[in-house]
Amino acid sequence: MESNIVKTFIAKINASNVNYCHFKSNSSLSLSMAGETDLDLLFEAGSETVVALIMKSVGCILFNSPSDRSYDDVYDYIVYDGEIMRLIHFHCHFRLDIGEKWIKSYRLPWQDLILATRFKDPVTNIFTSSPEWELTLLILRQTTRIYGTDIFSHGLPSISSKTKFEFDWLKSQIDPLLLDQIMIKYFSSGLRFSILKVIDSEYSSEAFQSIRKEVLSDLSKYRKYSHITAIRRFYMRKISHYLKRFDLLEIYFPGKRTLLGAGFTVAIVGSDGSGKTTVCKKIIASVSQKVSIKYIYLGHGKSGAGAIFLFFLKSLSYLNRRTPRSLKYFEHLANLLIVCRRLYILILAKHYVSQGRLVCMDRFPQFNKPGVSDGTFFTNQKRRWWSISYLIEMKVKRLAEQCRLDYVVHLHADREVLKERLLCGYDSNKIDQKSEAIDLFVQQLRSPKVKLDSGKLAPNSLLGIIIPKFFQLVGDRDN
C-alpha cells in the first residue's frame, strides 16, 4: 500500500520549481512509495528552504542525525503515516557526495547533469535519475566504499543481494548509446575503462577491487578531505558508534536521530488493565528504528525496576521481617532506596528532553497522588535523623511537578474488559479510586490530551491515532 503522505509530497514537489530526482535503489521504487525503505532524493543546490516548506506542509519533522552518522548537506525528514502504520523517512541530499563508510570524502560535480536527464516514472509520478547515470553512480559508490580508510582491515566488504539486484536491473534498463555518450563527454579514458570493465564482468567485490586504484586516482580532484583526515574522521566516528552500544554512554550521547530543539514527552495514563505498558512498548517499537525515543516507567516504586534494584529491595525487606517491629531501620532504608530511584528516573527524563529525544512515559510523574501513588515515606517524619531523606523526597516532588508533559493519552476500558484482563487482580473499589484520581489529574492539565477506549480499539489502531498526533504536535511546536 502506497503512502498518501508520499503521494502528497510528490504532487507538491512536482508543482514547485525545484529540480529533484529519486536516486539509489530505483529498482525498488514501489517499496519507497510504501515507506518500507528510505526515499533518497537528490535536490538542486540552494533549494533547502523550499523543500523544508513542502516537508512542513505534509507533516514532516527535521531531525538531527547523530554526530557519527551525519553528512554534509544531507537532511533527515521523518513523519509517521497512521494509515500504513509506518515511519516515512525522506533522506534529502543537496550535494552529490559519495565515499567511504562514515565519512563520504568525495563531492562529485555531476549533480546538475543528473537532474537535467531525470525522467518521470509513469506509475508513481516521481522523477528518477536516468539508469545510465544511476548505474555509473552505483559503481563509483561501491568502489569508493572499499577504499582502505580502515587501515586494520584487509578483507573486501561483501556485496549485498539487494545491491546485486539493483546492478542487474540497471544493466537491463540502460541505453548503451546514451551510456557511451556520458562516458565520452564527462569521464576520463581511464575512469571510462574502469566503469565498463565492471559492467562487462560479474558484480563482485573483486571486480571493484581491480578498478579501485584507477577510480580513486581519477576522483582525487573531487576530494573534500585528505587521506589522513579521512582516516582520522573514520576512526573517530567508528569508535563513537560502537561505544554508544553501551547503555551508560548512550544516555549521554544519543545513537539515533533527535529533534532540533527540546525533546517531546508523551505520557500514557490509565487505570490498571487499560493497556498503558502495552501501548508504550508498541510506540517504542514503531519509532525507535529511526528516532531516539526513551521509555520511562513512572509507576509504583518497585515496578519496572532492574534486577540489581530489586535484589537490594528484597534483601532489605527480608532483613526488615527479621527485626522487631519497633525498629524500622531496614524499612526506612528500603523506602529511601525507592525515593532515590524516583529521583534518578525524573532527572533522567529531564536529561532526555534536554537532548532533543522523544520520551514515552508509562504513567505520569506521580507524587503522593491519592489512590494512585504509593505515597510519601518521610514527609511526616518528625525526627531530625531523617531530614536528609525528607529533603530528597521534596526534591522528587518538585521534579514531578516540573516534569514536562507535551501530550497525554488517557486510556480507559469498561469493567468487563478490565475483569477479563486483570482476572484475580481485579478490585472494583481500587479501580474506581484510581480512575477518579486520574480523571482529576488529566482535567487539570493544560497539555494536549486525548481519551481513548482501549477495550474497543486494538493496540495498532491506538498507535494510528497516538503517534501521528504527537508528530503533528512536535511539528507545530518547532514551526
Side-chain angles (χ1 to χ4, degrees), residues 295-310 313 333-349 374 392 396 399:
Y295 173 72
I296 296 290
Y297 186 89
L298 291 167
H300 188 281
K302 53 181 178 284
S303 300
I308 297 177
F309 174 84
L310 291 177
L313 199 64
L333 282 179
N335 291 339
L336 180 60
L337 189 63
I338 291 174
V339 170
C340 289
R341 178 174 176 269
R342 286 180 182 171
L343 178 63
Y344 170 74
I345 289 173
L346 290 172
I347 291 174
L348 198 60
D374 41 358
I392 294 175
V396 172
L399 282 175

PDB file of all heavy atoms in Angstrom, residues 295-310 313 333-349 374 392 396 399:
ATOM      1  N   TYR A 295      11.947   5.007  26.870  1.00  0.00           N
ATOM      2  CA  TYR A 295      10.833   4.546  27.688  1.00  0.00           C
ATOM      3  C   TYR A 295      11.135   4.849  29.147  1.00  0.00           C
ATOM      4  O   TYR A 295      12.194   4.477  29.662  1.00  0.00           O
ATOM      5  CB  TYR A 295      10.650   3.039  27.484  1.00  0.00           C
ATOM      6  CG  TYR A 295       9.631   2.390  28.394  1.00  0.00           C
ATOM      7  CD1 TYR A 295       8.275   2.618  28.224  1.00  0.00           C
ATOM      8  CD2 TYR A 295      10.037   1.540  29.420  1.00  0.00           C
ATOM      9  CE1 TYR A 295       7.341   2.007  29.048  1.00  0.00           C
ATOM     10  CE2 TYR A 295       9.117   0.928  30.248  1.00  0.00           C
ATOM     11  CZ  TYR A 295       7.762   1.168  30.061  1.00  0.00           C
ATOM     12  OH  TYR A 295       6.841   0.563  30.883  1.00  0.00           O
ATOM     13  N   ILE A 296      10.213   5.531  29.803  1.00  0.00           N
ATOM     14  CA  ILE A 296      10.370   5.882  31.214  1.00  0.00           C
ATOM     15  C   ILE A 296       9.182   5.313  31.987  1.00  0.00           C
ATOM     16  O   ILE A 296       8.033   5.631  31.691  1.00  0.00           O
ATOM     17  CB  ILE A 296      10.431   7.410  31.413  1.00  0.00           C
ATOM     18  CG1 ILE A 296      11.671   7.996  30.741  1.00  0.00           C
ATOM     19  CG2 ILE A 296      10.417   7.759  32.892  1.00  0.00           C
ATOM     20  CD1 ILE A 296      12.974   7.654  31.405  1.00  0.00           C
ATOM     21  N   TYR A 297       9.476   4.463  32.958  1.00  0.00           N
ATOM     22  CA  TYR A 297       8.413   3.897  33.799  1.00  0.00           C
ATOM     23  C   TYR A 297       8.278   4.738  35.061  1.00  0.00           C
ATOM     24  O   TYR A 297       9.233   4.913  35.808  1.00  0.00           O
ATOM     25  CB  TYR A 297       8.733   2.446  34.161  1.00  0.00           C
ATOM     26  CG  TYR A 297       7.606   1.764  34.902  1.00  0.00           C
ATOM     27  CD1 TYR A 297       6.600   1.103  34.217  1.00  0.00           C
ATOM     28  CD2 TYR A 297       7.536   1.806  36.296  1.00  0.00           C
ATOM     29  CE1 TYR A 297       5.558   0.486  34.889  1.00  0.00           C
ATOM     30  CE2 TYR A 297       6.508   1.202  36.980  1.00  0.00           C
ATOM     31  CZ  TYR A 297       5.513   0.539  36.283  1.00  0.00           C
ATOM     32  OH  TYR A 297       4.478  -0.064  36.952  1.00  0.00           O
ATOM     33  N   LEU A 298       7.054   5.251  35.290  1.00  0.00           N
ATOM     34  CA  LEU A 298       6.831   6.164  36.413  1.00  0.00           C
ATOM     35  C   LEU A 298       5.751   5.650  37.351  1.00  0.00           C
ATOM     36  O   LEU A 298       5.021   6.423  37.959  1.00  0.00           O
ATOM     37  CB  LEU A 298       6.447   7.554  35.890  1.00  0.00           C
ATOM     38  CG  LEU A 298       7.573   8.308  35.182  1.00  0.00           C
ATOM     39  CD1 LEU A 298       7.032   9.500  34.424  1.00  0.00           C
ATOM     40  CD2 LEU A 298       8.617   8.750  36.182  1.00  0.00           C
ATOM     41  N   GLY A 299       5.646   4.331  37.432  1.00  0.00           N
ATOM     42  CA  GLY A 299       4.632   3.758  38.299  1.00  0.00           C
ATOM     43  C   GLY A 299       5.128   3.557  39.711  1.00  0.00           C
ATOM     44  O   GLY A 299       5.959   4.290  40.221  1.00  0.00           O
ATOM     45  N   HIS A 300       4.619   2.501  40.354  1.00  0.00           N
ATOM     46  CA  HIS A 300       4.980   2.172  41.733  1.00  0.00           C
ATOM     47  C   HIS A 300       6.491   2.019  41.859  1.00  0.00           C
ATOM     48  O   HIS A 300       7.149   1.545  40.941  1.00  0.00           O
ATOM     49  CB  HIS A 300       4.272   0.878  42.139  1.00  0.00           C
ATOM     50  CG  HIS A 300       4.424   0.539  43.583  1.00  0.00           C
ATOM     51  ND1 HIS A 300       5.555  -0.027  44.110  1.00  0.00           N
ATOM     52  CD2 HIS A 300       3.566   0.702  44.628  1.00  0.00           C
ATOM     53  CE1 HIS A 300       5.398  -0.215  45.410  1.00  0.00           C
ATOM     54  NE2 HIS A 300       4.204   0.212  45.757  1.00  0.00           N
ATOM     55  N   GLY A 301       7.030   2.391  42.990  1.00  0.00           N
ATOM     56  CA  GLY A 301       8.472   2.444  43.193  1.00  0.00           C
ATOM     57  C   GLY A 301       9.233   1.214  42.782  1.00  0.00           C
ATOM     58  O   GLY A 301      10.312   1.293  42.225  1.00  0.00           O
ATOM     59  N   LYS A 302       8.689   0.012  43.046  1.00  0.00           N
ATOM     60  CA  LYS A 302       9.459  -1.180  42.748  1.00  0.00           C
ATOM     61  C   LYS A 302       9.010  -1.882  41.476  1.00  0.00           C
ATOM     62  O   LYS A 302       9.494  -2.976  41.166  1.00  0.00           O
ATOM     63  CB  LYS A 302       9.407  -2.143  43.926  1.00  0.00           C
ATOM     64  CG  LYS A 302       8.019  -2.517  44.432  1.00  0.00           C
ATOM     65  CD  LYS A 302       8.159  -3.475  45.619  1.00  0.00           C
ATOM     66  CE  LYS A 302       6.806  -3.877  46.220  1.00  0.00           C
ATOM     67  NZ  LYS A 302       6.233  -2.802  47.032  1.00  0.00           N
ATOM     68  N   SER A 303       8.076  -1.308  40.759  1.00  0.00           N
ATOM     69  CA  SER A 303       7.641  -1.897  39.491  1.00  0.00           C
ATOM     70  C   SER A 303       8.527  -1.405  38.360  1.00  0.00           C
ATOM     71  O   SER A 303       8.995  -0.274  38.375  1.00  0.00           O
ATOM     72  CB  SER A 303       6.182  -1.532  39.208  1.00  0.00           C
ATOM     73  OG  SER A 303       5.343  -2.017  40.231  1.00  0.00           O
ATOM     74  N   GLY A 304       8.733  -2.231  37.388  1.00  0.00           N
ATOM     75  CA  GLY A 304       9.523  -1.846  36.232  1.00  0.00           C
ATOM     76  C   GLY A 304      10.983  -1.594  36.543  1.00  0.00           C
ATOM     77  O   GLY A 304      11.685  -0.933  35.788  1.00  0.00           O
ATOM     78  N   ALA A 305      11.453  -2.105  37.661  1.00  0.00           N
ATOM     79  CA  ALA A 305      12.831  -1.842  38.079  1.00  0.00           C
ATOM     80  C   ALA A 305      13.768  -2.920  37.567  1.00  0.00           C
ATOM     81  O   ALA A 305      13.348  -4.002  37.168  1.00  0.00           O
ATOM     82  CB  ALA A 305      12.907  -1.768  39.604  1.00  0.00           C
ATOM     83  N   GLY A 306      15.064  -2.621  37.628  1.00  0.00           N
ATOM     84  CA  GLY A 306      16.067  -3.568  37.189  1.00  0.00           C
ATOM     85  C   GLY A 306      16.372  -4.616  38.253  1.00  0.00           C
ATOM     86  O   GLY A 306      15.950  -4.510  39.410  1.00  0.00           O
ATOM     87  N   ALA A 307      17.153  -5.619  37.847  1.00  0.00           N
ATOM     88  CA  ALA A 307      17.434  -6.747  38.728  1.00  0.00           C
ATOM     89  C   ALA A 307      18.228  -6.326  39.962  1.00  0.00           C
ATOM     90  O   ALA A 307      17.967  -6.812  41.069  1.00  0.00           O
ATOM     91  CB  ALA A 307      18.194  -7.813  37.945  1.00  0.00           C
ATOM     92  N   ILE A 308      19.187  -5.421  39.786  1.00  0.00           N
ATOM     93  CA  ILE A 308      20.030  -5.011  40.918  1.00  0.00           C
ATOM     94  C   ILE A 308      19.197  -4.273  41.973  1.00  0.00           C
ATOM     95  O   ILE A 308      19.296  -4.539  43.171  1.00  0.00           O
ATOM     96  CB  ILE A 308      21.194  -4.128  40.433  1.00  0.00           C
ATOM     97  CG1 ILE A 308      22.107  -4.930  39.495  1.00  0.00           C
ATOM     98  CG2 ILE A 308      21.993  -3.582  41.611  1.00  0.00           C
ATOM     99  CD1 ILE A 308      23.247  -4.132  38.891  1.00  0.00           C
ATOM    100  N   PHE A 309      18.347  -3.364  41.496  1.00  0.00           N
ATOM    101  CA  PHE A 309      17.489  -2.612  42.416  1.00  0.00           C
ATOM    102  C   PHE A 309      16.581  -3.568  43.190  1.00  0.00           C
ATOM    103  O   PHE A 309      16.438  -3.458  44.411  1.00  0.00           O
ATOM    104  CB  PHE A 309      16.664  -1.601  41.622  1.00  0.00           C
ATOM    105  CG  PHE A 309      15.641  -0.862  42.440  1.00  0.00           C
ATOM    106  CD1 PHE A 309      15.995   0.253  43.171  1.00  0.00           C
ATOM    107  CD2 PHE A 309      14.329  -1.296  42.483  1.00  0.00           C
ATOM    108  CE1 PHE A 309      15.055   0.934  43.940  1.00  0.00           C
ATOM    109  CE2 PHE A 309      13.384  -0.631  43.243  1.00  0.00           C
ATOM    110  CZ  PHE A 309      13.748   0.496  43.976  1.00  0.00           C
ATOM    111  N   LEU A 310      15.965  -4.512  42.486  1.00  0.00           N
ATOM    112  CA  LEU A 310      15.055  -5.445  43.142  1.00  0.00           C
ATOM    113  C   LEU A 310      15.790  -6.344  44.136  1.00  0.00           C
ATOM    114  O   LEU A 310      15.239  -6.721  45.169  1.00  0.00           O
ATOM    115  CB  LEU A 310      14.336  -6.299  42.094  1.00  0.00           C
ATOM    116  CG  LEU A 310      13.323  -5.551  41.223  1.00  0.00           C
ATOM    117  CD1 LEU A 310      12.728  -6.488  40.178  1.00  0.00           C
ATOM    118  CD2 LEU A 310      12.213  -4.950  42.077  1.00  0.00           C
ATOM    119  N   LEU A 313      16.244  -4.313  47.237  1.00  0.00           N
ATOM    120  CA  LEU A 313      14.954  -4.070  47.861  1.00  0.00           C
ATOM    121  C   LEU A 313      14.449  -5.321  48.582  1.00  0.00           C
ATOM    122  O   LEU A 313      13.956  -5.246  49.717  1.00  0.00           O
ATOM    123  CB  LEU A 313      13.947  -3.624  46.796  1.00  0.00           C
ATOM    124  CG  LEU A 313      12.696  -2.898  47.309  1.00  0.00           C
ATOM    125  CD1 LEU A 313      13.095  -1.588  47.976  1.00  0.00           C
ATOM    126  CD2 LEU A 313      11.731  -2.627  46.160  1.00  0.00           C
ATOM    127  N   LEU A 333      15.348   2.263  55.105  1.00  0.00           N
ATOM    128  CA  LEU A 333      16.342   2.145  54.036  1.00  0.00           C
ATOM    129  C   LEU A 333      15.704   1.732  52.717  1.00  0.00           C
ATOM    130  O   LEU A 333      16.061   2.231  51.653  1.00  0.00           O
ATOM    131  CB  LEU A 333      17.424   1.143  54.445  1.00  0.00           C
ATOM    132  CG  LEU A 333      18.489   1.618  55.424  1.00  0.00           C
ATOM    133  CD1 LEU A 333      19.465   0.479  55.733  1.00  0.00           C
ATOM    134  CD2 LEU A 333      19.253   2.813  54.862  1.00  0.00           C
ATOM    135  N   ALA A 334      14.749   0.806  52.786  1.00  0.00           N
ATOM    136  CA  ALA A 334      14.048   0.371  51.564  1.00  0.00           C
ATOM    137  C   ALA A 334      13.270   1.533  50.956  1.00  0.00           C
ATOM    138  O   ALA A 334      13.287   1.743  49.732  1.00  0.00           O
ATOM    139  CB  ALA A 334      13.120  -0.790  51.882  1.00  0.00           C
ATOM    140  N   ASN A 335      12.587   2.297  51.799  1.00  0.00           N
ATOM    141  CA  ASN A 335      11.833   3.449  51.299  1.00  0.00           C
ATOM    142  C   ASN A 335      12.761   4.503  50.701  1.00  0.00           C
ATOM    143  O   ASN A 335      12.443   5.126  49.680  1.00  0.00           O
ATOM    144  CB  ASN A 335      11.013   4.062  52.437  1.00  0.00           C
ATOM    145  CG  ASN A 335       9.884   3.152  52.889  1.00  0.00           C
ATOM    146  OD1 ASN A 335       9.454   2.267  52.143  1.00  0.00           O
ATOM    147  ND2 ASN A 335       9.398   3.350  54.103  1.00  0.00           N
ATOM    148  N   LEU A 336      13.905   4.707  51.361  1.00  0.00           N
ATOM    149  CA  LEU A 336      14.876   5.662  50.832  1.00  0.00           C
ATOM    150  C   LEU A 336      15.396   5.204  49.466  1.00  0.00           C
ATOM    151  O   LEU A 336      15.606   6.019  48.574  1.00  0.00           O
ATOM    152  CB  LEU A 336      16.033   5.809  51.817  1.00  0.00           C
ATOM    153  CG  LEU A 336      17.144   6.791  51.409  1.00  0.00           C
ATOM    154  CD1 LEU A 336      16.577   8.200  51.241  1.00  0.00           C
ATOM    155  CD2 LEU A 336      18.265   6.780  52.446  1.00  0.00           C
ATOM    156  N   LEU A 337      15.582   3.907  49.315  1.00  0.00           N
ATOM    157  CA  LEU A 337      16.024   3.361  48.031  1.00  0.00           C
ATOM    158  C   LEU A 337      14.997   3.643  46.941  1.00  0.00           C
ATOM    159  O   LEU A 337      15.347   4.026  45.814  1.00  0.00           O
ATOM    160  CB  LEU A 337      16.263   1.855  48.166  1.00  0.00           C
ATOM    161  CG  LEU A 337      16.940   1.143  46.987  1.00  0.00           C
ATOM    162  CD1 LEU A 337      18.345   1.683  46.757  1.00  0.00           C
ATOM    163  CD2 LEU A 337      16.985  -0.358  47.242  1.00  0.00           C
ATOM    164  N   ILE A 338      13.711   3.479  47.255  1.00  0.00           N
ATOM    165  CA  ILE A 338      12.640   3.746  46.296  1.00  0.00           C
ATOM    166  C   ILE A 338      12.618   5.224  45.918  1.00  0.00           C
ATOM    167  O   ILE A 338      12.490   5.599  44.746  1.00  0.00           O
ATOM    168  CB  ILE A 338      11.278   3.313  46.875  1.00  0.00           C
ATOM    169  CG1 ILE A 338      11.223   1.785  46.984  1.00  0.00           C
ATOM    170  CG2 ILE A 338      10.140   3.816  45.994  1.00  0.00           C
ATOM    171  CD1 ILE A 338       9.975   1.270  47.677  1.00  0.00           C
ATOM    172  N   VAL A 339      12.768   6.095  46.920  1.00  0.00           N
ATOM    173  CA  VAL A 339      12.742   7.534  46.663  1.00  0.00           C
ATOM    174  C   VAL A 339      13.926   7.954  45.793  1.00  0.00           C
ATOM    175  O   VAL A 339      13.782   8.754  44.858  1.00  0.00           O
ATOM    176  CB  VAL A 339      12.740   8.313  47.999  1.00  0.00           C
ATOM    177  CG1 VAL A 339      12.950   9.799  47.752  1.00  0.00           C
ATOM    178  CG2 VAL A 339      11.434   8.088  48.727  1.00  0.00           C
ATOM    179  N   CYS A 340      15.102   7.397  46.075  1.00  0.00           N
ATOM    180  CA  CYS A 340      16.289   7.730  45.276  1.00  0.00           C
ATOM    181  C   CYS A 340      16.114   7.264  43.832  1.00  0.00           C
ATOM    182  O   CYS A 340      16.548   7.940  42.898  1.00  0.00           O
ATOM    183  CB  CYS A 340      17.536   7.095  45.890  1.00  0.00           C
ATOM    184  SG  CYS A 340      18.053   7.868  47.438  1.00  0.00           S
ATOM    185  N   ARG A 341      15.484   6.114  43.648  1.00  0.00           N
ATOM    186  CA  ARG A 341      15.236   5.647  42.281  1.00  0.00           C
ATOM    187  C   ARG A 341      14.274   6.585  41.557  1.00  0.00           C
ATOM    188  O   ARG A 341      14.438   6.884  40.376  1.00  0.00           O
ATOM    189  CB  ARG A 341      14.679   4.229  42.301  1.00  0.00           C
ATOM    190  CG  ARG A 341      14.343   3.699  40.899  1.00  0.00           C
ATOM    191  CD  ARG A 341      13.918   2.246  40.917  1.00  0.00           C
ATOM    192  NE  ARG A 341      13.515   1.836  39.582  1.00  0.00           N
ATOM    193  CZ  ARG A 341      12.283   1.907  39.118  1.00  0.00           C
ATOM    194  NH1 ARG A 341      11.320   2.394  39.898  1.00  0.00           N
ATOM    195  NH2 ARG A 341      11.991   1.515  37.893  1.00  0.00           N
ATOM    196  N   ARG A 342      13.237   7.035  42.264  1.00  0.00           N
ATOM    197  CA  ARG A 342      12.314   8.004  41.658  1.00  0.00           C
ATOM    198  C   ARG A 342      13.063   9.264  41.223  1.00  0.00           C
ATOM    199  O   ARG A 342      12.829   9.804  40.150  1.00  0.00           O
ATOM    200  CB  ARG A 342      11.228   8.392  42.663  1.00  0.00           C
ATOM    201  CG  ARG A 342      10.181   7.351  42.912  1.00  0.00           C
ATOM    202  CD  ARG A 342       9.197   7.901  43.920  1.00  0.00           C
ATOM    203  NE  ARG A 342       8.168   6.953  44.258  1.00  0.00           N
ATOM    204  CZ  ARG A 342       7.292   7.135  45.234  1.00  0.00           C
ATOM    205  NH1 ARG A 342       7.358   8.235  45.972  1.00  0.00           N
ATOM    206  NH2 ARG A 342       6.370   6.242  45.486  1.00  0.00           N
ATOM    207  N   LEU A 343      13.952   9.730  42.114  1.00  0.00           N
ATOM    208  CA  LEU A 343      14.724  10.932  41.799  1.00  0.00           C
ATOM    209  C   LEU A 343      15.564  10.713  40.543  1.00  0.00           C
ATOM    210  O   LEU A 343      15.606  11.563  39.651  1.00  0.00           O
ATOM    211  CB  LEU A 343      15.625  11.284  42.982  1.00  0.00           C
ATOM    212  CG  LEU A 343      16.542  12.492  42.811  1.00  0.00           C
ATOM    213  CD1 LEU A 343      15.718  13.760  42.629  1.00  0.00           C
ATOM    214  CD2 LEU A 343      17.476  12.629  44.011  1.00  0.00           C
ATOM    215  N   TYR A 344      16.225   9.568  40.454  1.00  0.00           N
ATOM    216  CA  TYR A 344      17.061   9.257  39.291  1.00  0.00           C
ATOM    217  C   TYR A 344      16.228   9.217  38.008  1.00  0.00           C
ATOM    218  O   TYR A 344      16.634   9.769  36.973  1.00  0.00           O
ATOM    219  CB  TYR A 344      17.758   7.919  39.514  1.00  0.00           C
ATOM    220  CG  TYR A 344      18.457   7.384  38.290  1.00  0.00           C
ATOM    221  CD1 TYR A 344      19.653   7.949  37.839  1.00  0.00           C
ATOM    222  CD2 TYR A 344      17.915   6.329  37.558  1.00  0.00           C
ATOM    223  CE1 TYR A 344      20.287   7.473  36.707  1.00  0.00           C
ATOM    224  CE2 TYR A 344      18.549   5.845  36.421  1.00  0.00           C
ATOM    225  CZ  TYR A 344      19.731   6.418  36.005  1.00  0.00           C
ATOM    226  OH  TYR A 344      20.349   5.945  34.874  1.00  0.00           O
ATOM    227  N   ILE A 345      15.051   8.595  38.063  1.00  0.00           N
ATOM    228  CA  ILE A 345      14.210   8.468  36.866  1.00  0.00           C
ATOM    229  C   ILE A 345      13.752   9.836  36.372  1.00  0.00           C
ATOM    230  O   ILE A 345      13.780  10.127  35.172  1.00  0.00           O
ATOM    231  CB  ILE A 345      12.998   7.563  37.165  1.00  0.00           C
ATOM    232  CG1 ILE A 345      13.460   6.103  37.320  1.00  0.00           C
ATOM    233  CG2 ILE A 345      11.964   7.656  36.052  1.00  0.00           C
ATOM    234  CD1 ILE A 345      12.366   5.168  37.768  1.00  0.00           C
ATOM    235  N   LEU A 346      13.341  10.699  37.286  1.00  0.00           N
ATOM    236  CA  LEU A 346      12.868  12.031  36.889  1.00  0.00           C
ATOM    237  C   LEU A 346      14.006  12.892  36.354  1.00  0.00           C
ATOM    238  O   LEU A 346      13.824  13.651  35.401  1.00  0.00           O
ATOM    239  CB  LEU A 346      12.185  12.712  38.071  1.00  0.00           C
ATOM    240  CG  LEU A 346      10.840  12.107  38.485  1.00  0.00           C
ATOM    241  CD1 LEU A 346      10.346  12.729  39.776  1.00  0.00           C
ATOM    242  CD2 LEU A 346       9.801  12.287  37.380  1.00  0.00           C
ATOM    243  N   ILE A 347      15.189  12.780  36.959  1.00  0.00           N
ATOM    244  CA  ILE A 347      16.359  13.510  36.438  1.00  0.00           C
ATOM    245  C   ILE A 347      16.705  12.998  35.045  1.00  0.00           C
ATOM    246  O   ILE A 347      17.028  13.771  34.137  1.00  0.00           O
ATOM    247  CB  ILE A 347      17.561  13.365  37.390  1.00  0.00           C
ATOM    248  CG1 ILE A 347      17.298  14.119  38.695  1.00  0.00           C
ATOM    249  CG2 ILE A 347      18.841  13.874  36.744  1.00  0.00           C
ATOM    250  CD1 ILE A 347      18.361  13.929  39.753  1.00  0.00           C
ATOM    251  N   LEU A 348      16.612  11.678  34.856  1.00  0.00           N
ATOM    252  CA  LEU A 348      16.912  11.086  33.556  1.00  0.00           C
ATOM    253  C   LEU A 348      15.922  11.564  32.500  1.00  0.00           C
ATOM    254  O   LEU A 348      16.312  11.892  31.373  1.00  0.00           O
ATOM    255  CB  LEU A 348      16.857   9.554  33.681  1.00  0.00           C
ATOM    256  CG  LEU A 348      17.544   8.740  32.581  1.00  0.00           C
ATOM    257  CD1 LEU A 348      19.026   9.065  32.519  1.00  0.00           C
ATOM    258  CD2 LEU A 348      17.329   7.250  32.831  1.00  0.00           C
ATOM    259  N   ALA A 349      14.642  11.626  32.848  1.00  0.00           N
ATOM    260  CA  ALA A 349      13.629  12.102  31.900  1.00  0.00           C
ATOM    261  C   ALA A 349      13.912  13.548  31.493  1.00  0.00           C
ATOM    262  O   ALA A 349      13.809  13.910  30.310  1.00  0.00           O
ATOM    263  CB  ALA A 349      12.244  11.993  32.524  1.00  0.00           C
ATOM    264  N   ASP A 374       2.212   5.349  45.493  1.00  0.00           N
ATOM    265  CA  ASP A 374       2.423   4.608  46.728  1.00  0.00           C
ATOM    266  C   ASP A 374       2.785   5.557  47.865  1.00  0.00           C
ATOM    267  O   ASP A 374       3.284   5.150  48.900  1.00  0.00           O
ATOM    268  CB  ASP A 374       3.512   3.530  46.564  1.00  0.00           C
ATOM    269  CG  ASP A 374       4.693   4.027  45.755  1.00  0.00           C
ATOM    270  OD1 ASP A 374       4.645   5.170  45.307  1.00  0.00           O
ATOM    271  OD2 ASP A 374       5.650   3.261  45.563  1.00  0.00           O
ATOM    272  N   ILE A 392      15.374  14.775  50.136  1.00  0.00           N
ATOM    273  CA  ILE A 392      15.377  14.035  48.862  1.00  0.00           C
ATOM    274  C   ILE A 392      13.960  13.867  48.343  1.00  0.00           C
ATOM    275  O   ILE A 392      13.687  14.051  47.149  1.00  0.00           O
ATOM    276  CB  ILE A 392      16.052  12.657  49.041  1.00  0.00           C
ATOM    277  CG1 ILE A 392      17.537  12.838  49.372  1.00  0.00           C
ATOM    278  CG2 ILE A 392      15.890  11.816  47.780  1.00  0.00           C
ATOM    279  CD1 ILE A 392      18.255  11.541  49.683  1.00  0.00           C
ATOM    280  N   VAL A 396      12.150  15.163  44.854  1.00  0.00           N
ATOM    281  CA  VAL A 396      11.353  14.341  43.941  1.00  0.00           C
ATOM    282  C   VAL A 396      10.022  15.016  43.646  1.00  0.00           C
ATOM    283  O   VAL A 396       9.559  15.047  42.497  1.00  0.00           O
ATOM    284  CB  VAL A 396      11.128  12.939  44.544  1.00  0.00           C
ATOM    285  CG1 VAL A 396      10.138  12.148  43.705  1.00  0.00           C
ATOM    286  CG2 VAL A 396      12.435  12.188  44.656  1.00  0.00           C
ATOM    287  N   LEU A 399      10.519  17.923  41.192  1.00  0.00           N
ATOM    288  CA  LEU A 399      10.786  17.431  39.835  1.00  0.00           C
ATOM    289  C   LEU A 399       9.524  16.876  39.198  1.00  0.00           C
ATOM    290  O   LEU A 399       9.282  17.061  37.997  1.00  0.00           O
ATOM    291  CB  LEU A 399      11.875  16.356  39.872  1.00  0.00           C
ATOM    292  CG  LEU A 399      13.314  16.836  40.005  1.00  0.00           C
ATOM    293  CD1 LEU A 399      14.260  15.653  40.158  1.00  0.00           C
ATOM    294  CD2 LEU A 399      13.717  17.674  38.794  1.00  0.00           C
TER     295      LEU A 399
END
